[in-house]
Short mmCIF file of all heavy atoms in Angstrom, two decimals:
data_model
loop_
_atom_site.label_atom_id
_atom_site.label_comp_id
_atom_site.label_asym_id
_atom_site.label_seq_id
_atom_site.Cartn_x
_atom_site.Cartn_y
_atom_site.Cartn_z
N ALA A 279 36.07 -88.64 33.56
CA ALA A 279 34.91 -87.73 33.02
C ALA A 279 33.53 -88.45 33.29
O ALA A 279 32.55 -87.82 33.80
CB ALA A 279 34.95 -87.35 31.64
N ASN A 280 33.43 -89.70 32.96
CA ASN A 280 32.23 -90.51 33.12
C ASN A 280 31.88 -90.58 34.62
O ASN A 280 30.69 -90.46 34.99
CB ASN A 280 32.39 -91.88 32.53
CG ASN A 280 32.43 -91.88 31.02
OD1 ASN A 280 32.08 -90.88 30.40
ND2 ASN A 280 32.92 -92.85 30.39
N ASP A 281 32.89 -90.86 35.54
CA ASP A 281 32.66 -91.06 36.82
C ASP A 281 32.17 -89.67 37.48
O ASP A 281 31.27 -89.71 38.29
CB ASP A 281 33.94 -91.50 37.61
CG ASP A 281 34.30 -92.95 37.23
OD1 ASP A 281 33.35 -93.71 36.69
OD2 ASP A 281 35.45 -93.43 37.50
N VAL A 282 32.87 -88.62 37.15
CA VAL A 282 32.46 -87.35 37.71
C VAL A 282 31.16 -86.94 37.18
O VAL A 282 30.29 -86.46 38.02
CB VAL A 282 33.41 -86.20 37.31
CG1 VAL A 282 32.96 -84.78 37.61
CG2 VAL A 282 34.89 -86.57 37.97
N GLU A 283 30.79 -87.21 35.98
CA GLU A 283 29.48 -86.95 35.36
C GLU A 283 28.36 -87.62 36.13
O GLU A 283 27.47 -87.08 36.54
CB GLU A 283 29.39 -87.27 33.93
CG GLU A 283 28.07 -87.27 33.32
CD GLU A 283 27.65 -85.76 32.98
OE1 GLU A 283 28.51 -84.93 33.01
OE2 GLU A 283 26.44 -85.53 32.78
N ARG A 284 28.64 -88.93 36.55
CA ARG A 284 27.62 -89.75 37.31
C ARG A 284 27.50 -89.16 38.66
O ARG A 284 26.29 -89.05 39.20
CB ARG A 284 28.09 -91.18 37.25
CG ARG A 284 27.20 -92.07 38.11
CD ARG A 284 27.87 -93.36 38.40
NE ARG A 284 28.93 -93.12 39.45
CZ ARG A 284 30.16 -93.64 39.21
NH1 ARG A 284 30.41 -94.44 38.30
NH2 ARG A 284 31.04 -93.39 40.17
N ASP A 285 28.62 -88.83 39.34
CA ASP A 285 28.52 -88.38 40.73
C ASP A 285 27.97 -86.95 40.69
O ASP A 285 27.26 -86.60 41.67
CB ASP A 285 29.88 -88.44 41.29
CG ASP A 285 30.40 -89.80 41.64
OD1 ASP A 285 29.41 -90.58 41.76
OD2 ASP A 285 31.49 -90.12 41.70
N VAL A 286 28.28 -86.10 39.66
CA VAL A 286 27.64 -84.69 39.73
C VAL A 286 26.11 -84.83 39.52
O VAL A 286 25.39 -84.14 40.34
CB VAL A 286 28.27 -83.92 38.53
CG1 VAL A 286 27.43 -82.77 38.22
CG2 VAL A 286 29.62 -83.55 38.86
N LYS A 287 25.66 -85.71 38.71
CA LYS A 287 24.28 -85.80 38.54
C LYS A 287 23.62 -86.30 39.87
O LYS A 287 22.56 -85.88 40.23
CB LYS A 287 23.90 -86.87 37.42
CG LYS A 287 24.11 -86.34 36.02
CD LYS A 287 23.84 -87.33 34.92
CE LYS A 287 24.02 -86.84 33.62
NZ LYS A 287 23.82 -87.78 32.52
N ARG A 288 24.28 -87.22 40.56
CA ARG A 288 23.73 -87.78 41.75
C ARG A 288 23.72 -86.65 42.82
O ARG A 288 22.90 -86.53 43.69
CB ARG A 288 24.60 -89.02 42.28
CG ARG A 288 24.08 -89.74 43.47
CD ARG A 288 24.67 -91.10 43.62
NE ARG A 288 26.10 -90.99 43.69
CZ ARG A 288 26.79 -92.01 43.61
NH1 ARG A 288 26.26 -93.19 43.23
NH2 ARG A 288 28.15 -91.94 43.67
N ALA A 289 24.86 -85.93 42.78
CA ALA A 289 25.09 -84.81 43.85
C ALA A 289 24.00 -83.75 43.74
O ALA A 289 23.68 -83.18 44.75
CB ALA A 289 26.48 -84.17 43.70
N VAL A 290 23.61 -83.47 42.54
CA VAL A 290 22.60 -82.29 42.46
C VAL A 290 21.20 -82.93 42.38
O VAL A 290 20.18 -82.18 42.19
CB VAL A 290 22.88 -81.57 41.14
CG1 VAL A 290 24.27 -80.87 41.10
CG2 VAL A 290 22.70 -82.42 39.88
N SER A 291 20.98 -84.21 42.65
CA SER A 291 19.67 -84.81 42.58
C SER A 291 18.88 -84.32 43.84
O SER A 291 19.43 -84.10 44.92
CB SER A 291 19.67 -86.34 42.48
OG SER A 291 20.14 -86.78 43.74
N PRO A 292 17.53 -84.15 43.80
CA PRO A 292 16.78 -83.81 44.86
C PRO A 292 17.00 -84.75 46.05
O PRO A 292 16.96 -84.30 47.17
CB PRO A 292 15.31 -83.74 44.33
CG PRO A 292 15.41 -83.58 42.90
CD PRO A 292 16.67 -84.19 42.54
N VAL A 293 17.04 -86.05 45.70
CA VAL A 293 17.12 -87.04 46.95
C VAL A 293 18.41 -86.78 47.79
O VAL A 293 18.36 -86.76 48.90
CB VAL A 293 17.13 -88.49 46.24
CG1 VAL A 293 17.44 -89.52 47.35
CG2 VAL A 293 15.73 -88.70 45.62
N ILE A 294 19.55 -86.61 47.11
CA ILE A 294 20.79 -86.45 47.79
C ILE A 294 20.83 -85.10 48.52
O ILE A 294 21.53 -84.98 49.57
CB ILE A 294 22.03 -86.72 46.95
CG1 ILE A 294 23.28 -87.06 47.82
CG2 ILE A 294 22.42 -85.49 46.08
CD1 ILE A 294 24.29 -87.71 47.06
N LYS A 295 20.16 -84.04 47.87
CA LYS A 295 20.24 -82.82 48.57
C LYS A 295 19.43 -82.81 49.85
O LYS A 295 19.80 -82.29 50.91
CB LYS A 295 19.62 -81.68 47.57
CG LYS A 295 20.59 -81.19 46.53
CD LYS A 295 20.00 -80.03 45.72
CE LYS A 295 21.05 -79.43 44.83
NZ LYS A 295 20.52 -78.21 44.12
N VAL A 296 18.24 -83.50 49.89
CA VAL A 296 17.34 -83.67 51.01
C VAL A 296 18.23 -84.48 52.01
O VAL A 296 18.19 -84.12 53.25
CB VAL A 296 16.01 -84.37 50.65
CG1 VAL A 296 15.27 -84.72 51.89
CG2 VAL A 296 15.22 -83.36 49.81
N TYR A 297 18.75 -85.51 51.62
CA TYR A 297 19.60 -86.37 52.56
C TYR A 297 20.61 -85.57 53.25
O TYR A 297 20.89 -85.67 54.43
CB TYR A 297 20.20 -87.54 51.80
CG TYR A 297 21.06 -88.56 52.62
CD1 TYR A 297 20.49 -89.52 53.35
CD2 TYR A 297 22.48 -88.34 52.65
CE1 TYR A 297 21.34 -90.33 54.10
CE2 TYR A 297 23.28 -89.10 53.37
CZ TYR A 297 22.77 -90.22 54.10
OH TYR A 297 23.42 -90.91 54.95
N ALA A 298 21.47 -84.75 52.40
CA ALA A 298 22.56 -84.09 52.91
C ALA A 298 22.16 -82.96 53.95
O ALA A 298 22.85 -82.61 54.66
CB ALA A 298 23.41 -83.46 51.88
N ALA A 299 21.02 -82.40 53.64
CA ALA A 299 20.47 -81.28 54.46
C ALA A 299 19.71 -81.80 55.65
O ALA A 299 19.44 -80.89 56.61
CB ALA A 299 19.51 -80.40 53.59
N SER A 300 19.53 -82.97 55.91
CA SER A 300 18.79 -83.52 56.95
C SER A 300 19.89 -83.80 58.10
O SER A 300 20.83 -84.61 57.99
CB SER A 300 18.10 -84.90 56.64
OG SER A 300 17.13 -84.70 55.61
N GLY A 301 19.55 -83.30 59.27
CA GLY A 301 20.55 -83.42 60.48
C GLY A 301 20.29 -84.79 61.08
O GLY A 301 19.15 -85.39 61.07
N GLU A 302 21.25 -85.28 61.69
CA GLU A 302 21.26 -86.59 62.57
C GLU A 302 20.46 -86.24 63.80
O GLU A 302 20.56 -85.27 64.47
CB GLU A 302 22.64 -87.02 62.84
CG GLU A 302 23.33 -87.56 61.48
CD GLU A 302 24.56 -88.37 61.80
OE1 GLU A 302 24.55 -89.15 62.76
OE2 GLU A 302 25.56 -88.28 61.06
N ILE A 303 19.76 -87.39 64.16
CA ILE A 303 18.95 -87.25 65.31
C ILE A 303 19.30 -88.56 66.22
O ILE A 303 19.78 -89.54 65.74
CB ILE A 303 17.40 -87.27 65.16
CG1 ILE A 303 17.00 -88.42 64.26
CG2 ILE A 303 17.07 -85.87 64.43
CD1 ILE A 303 15.56 -88.58 64.15
N ASP A 304 19.01 -88.51 67.57
CA ASP A 304 19.27 -89.56 68.42
C ASP A 304 18.13 -90.64 68.39
O ASP A 304 17.00 -90.18 68.19
CB ASP A 304 19.48 -89.19 69.90
CG ASP A 304 20.67 -88.32 70.06
OD1 ASP A 304 21.74 -88.49 69.24
OD2 ASP A 304 20.79 -87.36 70.82
N ILE A 305 18.48 -91.86 68.55
CA ILE A 305 17.42 -92.94 68.76
C ILE A 305 17.85 -93.54 70.09
O ILE A 305 18.68 -94.44 70.28
CB ILE A 305 17.54 -93.95 67.60
CG1 ILE A 305 17.40 -93.31 66.26
CG2 ILE A 305 16.57 -95.11 67.86
CD1 ILE A 305 17.36 -94.27 65.04
N PRO A 306 17.22 -93.07 71.18
CA PRO A 306 17.65 -93.47 72.51
C PRO A 306 17.54 -94.88 72.80
O PRO A 306 18.30 -95.62 73.40
CB PRO A 306 16.56 -92.77 73.50
CG PRO A 306 16.16 -91.58 72.68
CD PRO A 306 16.20 -91.97 71.20
N SER A 307 16.43 -95.65 72.13
CA SER A 307 16.38 -97.10 72.38
C SER A 307 17.51 -97.91 71.76
O SER A 307 17.59 -99.05 72.18
CB SER A 307 15.05 -97.52 71.73
OG SER A 307 14.96 -97.34 70.31
N LEU A 308 18.26 -97.33 70.79
CA LEU A 308 19.38 -97.89 70.34
C LEU A 308 20.76 -97.45 70.89
O LEU A 308 21.75 -98.15 70.95
CB LEU A 308 19.48 -97.74 68.81
CG LEU A 308 18.30 -98.38 67.98
CD1 LEU A 308 18.47 -98.11 66.48
CD2 LEU A 308 18.25 -99.90 68.28
N GLN A 309 20.79 -96.19 71.36
CA GLN A 309 22.03 -95.53 71.70
C GLN A 309 22.28 -95.44 73.13
O GLN A 309 23.34 -95.49 73.62
CB GLN A 309 22.14 -94.12 71.05
CG GLN A 309 22.14 -94.13 69.60
CD GLN A 309 21.89 -92.78 68.97
OE1 GLN A 309 21.29 -91.86 69.58
NE2 GLN A 309 22.34 -92.51 67.73
N ASP A 310 21.15 -95.44 74.02
CA ASP A 310 21.24 -95.50 75.37
C ASP A 310 21.40 -96.90 75.83
O ASP A 310 20.52 -97.77 75.77
CB ASP A 310 19.94 -94.89 76.10
CG ASP A 310 20.03 -94.74 77.52
OD1 ASP A 310 20.72 -95.56 78.21
OD2 ASP A 310 19.49 -93.80 78.09
N LEU A 311 22.62 -97.21 76.27
CA LEU A 311 22.89 -98.69 76.47
C LEU A 311 22.07 -99.24 77.62
O LEU A 311 21.61 -100.44 77.61
CB LEU A 311 24.40 -98.86 76.93
CG LEU A 311 25.37 -98.48 75.80
CD1 LEU A 311 26.83 -98.60 76.24
CD2 LEU A 311 25.12 -99.27 74.50
N LYS A 312 21.81 -98.46 78.66
CA LYS A 312 20.86 -98.97 79.76
C LYS A 312 19.52 -99.21 79.36
O LYS A 312 18.95 -100.23 79.59
CB LYS A 312 20.82 -97.90 80.80
CG LYS A 312 20.12 -98.29 82.18
CD LYS A 312 20.28 -97.22 83.21
CE LYS A 312 19.41 -97.64 84.48
NZ LYS A 312 19.43 -96.54 85.54
N LEU A 313 19.01 -98.25 78.49
CA LEU A 313 17.58 -98.38 78.04
C LEU A 313 17.54 -99.67 77.00
O LEU A 313 16.58 -100.40 77.00
CB LEU A 313 17.14 -97.19 77.23
CG LEU A 313 15.72 -97.04 76.92
CD1 LEU A 313 14.93 -97.09 78.24
CD2 LEU A 313 15.50 -95.69 76.20
N LYS A 314 18.54 -99.73 76.19
CA LYS A 314 18.66 -100.79 75.20
C LYS A 314 18.69 -102.18 75.87
O LYS A 314 17.98 -103.16 75.48
CB LYS A 314 19.84 -100.63 74.32
CG LYS A 314 20.05 -101.63 73.18
CD LYS A 314 21.25 -101.31 72.39
CE LYS A 314 21.36 -102.47 71.18
NZ LYS A 314 22.60 -102.06 70.34
N LYS A 315 19.44 -102.22 76.98
CA LYS A 315 19.50 -103.50 77.73
C LYS A 315 18.24 -103.83 78.39
O LYS A 315 17.68 -105.05 78.44
CB LYS A 315 20.72 -103.45 78.79
CG LYS A 315 20.89 -104.61 79.57
CD LYS A 315 22.06 -104.45 80.50
CE LYS A 315 22.36 -105.82 81.32
NZ LYS A 315 23.39 -105.64 82.23
N GLN A 316 17.54 -102.88 78.86
CA GLN A 316 16.27 -102.92 79.65
C GLN A 316 15.23 -103.45 78.64
O GLN A 316 14.43 -104.43 78.93
CB GLN A 316 15.77 -101.69 80.16
CG GLN A 316 14.36 -101.68 80.73
CD GLN A 316 13.86 -100.26 81.09
OE1 GLN A 316 14.70 -99.35 81.44
NE2 GLN A 316 12.65 -99.92 80.98
N PHE A 317 15.06 -102.96 77.42
CA PHE A 317 14.09 -103.30 76.37
C PHE A 317 14.48 -104.77 75.91
O PHE A 317 13.49 -105.62 75.78
CB PHE A 317 14.06 -102.41 75.17
CG PHE A 317 13.46 -101.01 75.66
CD1 PHE A 317 13.77 -99.97 74.89
CD2 PHE A 317 12.58 -100.89 76.55
CE1 PHE A 317 13.20 -98.83 75.17
CE2 PHE A 317 12.02 -99.70 76.91
CZ PHE A 317 12.23 -98.54 76.24
N ALA A 318 15.69 -105.04 75.68
CA ALA A 318 16.14 -106.45 75.21
C ALA A 318 15.83 -107.53 76.05
O ALA A 318 15.56 -108.64 75.80
CB ALA A 318 17.55 -106.35 74.92
#
Side-chain angles (χ1 to χ4, degrees):
N280 290 338
D281 290 342
V282 171
E283 174 73 17
R284 181 195 64 228
D285 288 332
V286 165
K287 287 181 178 179
R288 185 164 57 194
V290 299
S291 70
V293 173
I294 200 166
K295 281 189 174 183
V296 170
Y297 176 87
S300 301
E302 292 194 33
I303 60 175
D304 293 332
I305 302 179
S307 61
L308 297 180
Q309 296 167 337
D310 185 324
L311 296 182
K312 183 178 179 180
L313 194 60
K314 184 177 180 180
K315 184 177 180 180
Q316 174 188 330
F317 289 156

